[in-house]
Amino acid sequence: MFGSSAYIGPSMRPKPQTFDKKKIVAENRRARFDYAIETTYEAGIALTGTEVKSLRFGEGSIAEAYAEVRGEEVWLVNSNVPEFSHGNRFNHEAKRPRKLLLHEREINKLHGAVAREGMTLVPLMIYFNSRGRAKVELALAKGKKAHDKRDAIKERDWKREQGRILRDRG
């Protein structure tokens, strides 16, 4: 109608982009089992030089880490980036809280979900993107109950058994 722009109806919505992960440094594999993940966000991390070098060597862990909203900022707490082996007196502290870089709108959305709905901010992985920047995949998640976890185990075991049956027959 007006110009060359066409109406994009609900069936033609673009799919949400998947993050361009080039080198995964640390992954929280337990998070997908312990939490029902609603949405994921990509956040930058404010790091010092020795932390970046340590991550590039593939060191680092987010197994026990979580994120929290403090005021207008989001912080990654309890993540472990070990000291750089060739670092000198300017080396970093291994378990210090690290600031996550998100848009203000995203921070407000996360703060509302954590405060009102009782959700948790869980880091899923730390990786370097195609431009060489360190990023965190952050998930807004709700904790699973014990019976949900048992159902997940049963489902996983059944899928594995199905695969075996199909392989043996065909």
Side-chain angles (χ1 to χ4, degrees):
M1 288 222 297
F2 300 105
S4 62
S5 63
Y7 169 71
I8 298 178
S11 63
M12 296 177 60
R13 278 211 178 100
K15 291 183 178 153
Q17 70 177 27
T18 55
F19 307 127
D20 188 24
K21 302 170 188 122
K22 288 292 178 191
K23 181 185 177 195
I24 296 173
V25 178
E27 194 170 7
N28 189 353
R29 297 177 55 124
R30 184 105 183 134
R32 295 193 189 274
F33 179 71
D34 288 338
Y35 297 95
I37 293 167
E38 300 278 322
T39 55
T40 58
Y41 296 91
E42 181 182 52
I45 328 169
L47 297 171
T48 63
T50 53
E51 288 174 322
V52 175
K53 289 178 180 181
S54 189
L55 285 175
R56 286 209 189 276
F57 275 108
E59 298 174 355
S61 168
I62 55 170
E64 298 162 4
Y66 62 96
E68 65 181 9
V69 181
R70 294 184 202 155
E72 297 293 313
E73 298 175 338
V74 180
W75 293 85
L76 184 63
V77 182
N78 212 19
S79 63
N80 184 27
V81 178
E83 288 187 348
F84 183 54
S85 58
H86 294 59
N88 53 14
R89 62 183 179 183
F90 300 112
N91 224 334
H92 64 276
E93 191 180 322
K95 284 211 168 194
R96 74 175 185 90
R98 294 167 177 87
K99 185 177 176 181
L100 296 181
L101 310 172
L102 289 157
H103 290 284
E104 188 177 350
R105 184 177 66 247
E106 291 175 325
I107 293 172
N108 291 337
K109 202 179 291 184
L110 293 174
H111 180 67
V114 169
R116 280 191 302 275
E117 301 166 30
M119 298 183 101
T120 310
L121 291 173
V122 183
L124 297 178
M125 66 179 65
I126 296 178
Y127 60 92
F128 286 98
N129 67 2
S130 58
R131 294 177 60 198
R133 304 264 193 248
K135 301 286 183 179
V136 174
E137 186 175 351
L138 194 63
L140 191 59
K142 194 176 276 280
K144 283 185 184 177
K145 303 281 187 249
H147 61 85
D148 294 332
K149 292 180 187 178
R150 284 194 297 270
D151 292 343
I153 292 170
K154 283 180 192 172
E155 182 75 25
R156 188 176 60 216
D157 290 345
W158 170 240
K159 292 278 185 198
R160 193 174 295 137
E161 191 62 34
Q162 261 182 330
R164 282 195 196 113
I165 292 168
L166 288 173
R167 258 196 323 274
D168 293 343
R169 288 191 181 175

